Amino acid sequence: MASVQKVQSYLAYWFQLGKPVVFEKTQATRLPSPVFRGADFSNSFEQCWQAIMQTPDTCYLKGTDESIADLLSDEWDVNSCARCSMPLPEIVRGIKHSPCPCADLPSWPNTDIPEPRAGVDTTQHLDEIRQRLSGRS
């Protein structure tokens, strides 16, 4: 089963590449920006997540067939794509027939641009640098 955190991370990575979430009933799309505020999800992301959770069975990442409710069920997990190493939903038992969301992105994977990433805890990172520098004094 994909945890809520894995599904949120999956969406966050794809949002950074411009893939929106589709609300099937209204055909509306949402693409929060920015995705992160430091190491945490941004307010924009959190608002989008709350909207998704109101109708998770009819929301999906553009270019995929699995609803967010599907991904949160026991039948799915989120792992890395063999082609592009981005998060990819995979069925736990059986065979998945739909491609990775990267299939409709032109020239992806693209090693000339930075890859999407998780949020960064700048306080922790700066503390680690400070500790390394103080150890060399």
Side-chain angles (χ1 to χ4, degrees), residues 15-122:
F15 286 162
Q16 291 175 68
L17 288 179
K19 284 264 189 191
V21 68
V22 177
F23 293 81
E24 190 173 49
K25 287 183 180 178
T26 62
Q27 289 302 302
T29 61
R30 286 187 72 173
L31 182 62
S33 182
V35 176
F36 294 104
R37 183 184 61 236
D40 300 321
F41 292 117
S42 68
N43 289 338
S44 178
F45 180 93
E46 292 292 349
Q47 290 170 359
C48 181
W49 181 254
Q50 292 306 316
I52 290 168
M53 288 293 89
Q54 294 196 10
T55 58
D57 53 329
T58 62
C59 296
Y60 56 91
L61 186 71
K62 185 175 182 179
T64 65
D65 298 325
E66 305 82 28
S67 72
I68 301 304
D70 288 341
L71 300 182
L72 292 169
S73 75
D74 291 341
E75 297 177 16
W76 291 87
D77 199 6
V78 176
N79 296 303
S80 295
C81 173
R83 177 175 175 248
C84 69
S85 74
M86 291 286 287
L88 173 68
E90 294 181 323
I91 197 159
V92 174
R93 292 176 193 88
I95 299 172
K96 179 182 175 194
H97 297 287
S98 60
C100 175
C102 71
D104 66 355
L105 290 176
S107 65
W108 185 262
N110 184 347
T111 57
D112 295 332
I113 61 172
E115 289 184 10
R117 59 170 179 77
V120 177
D121 184 350
T122 54

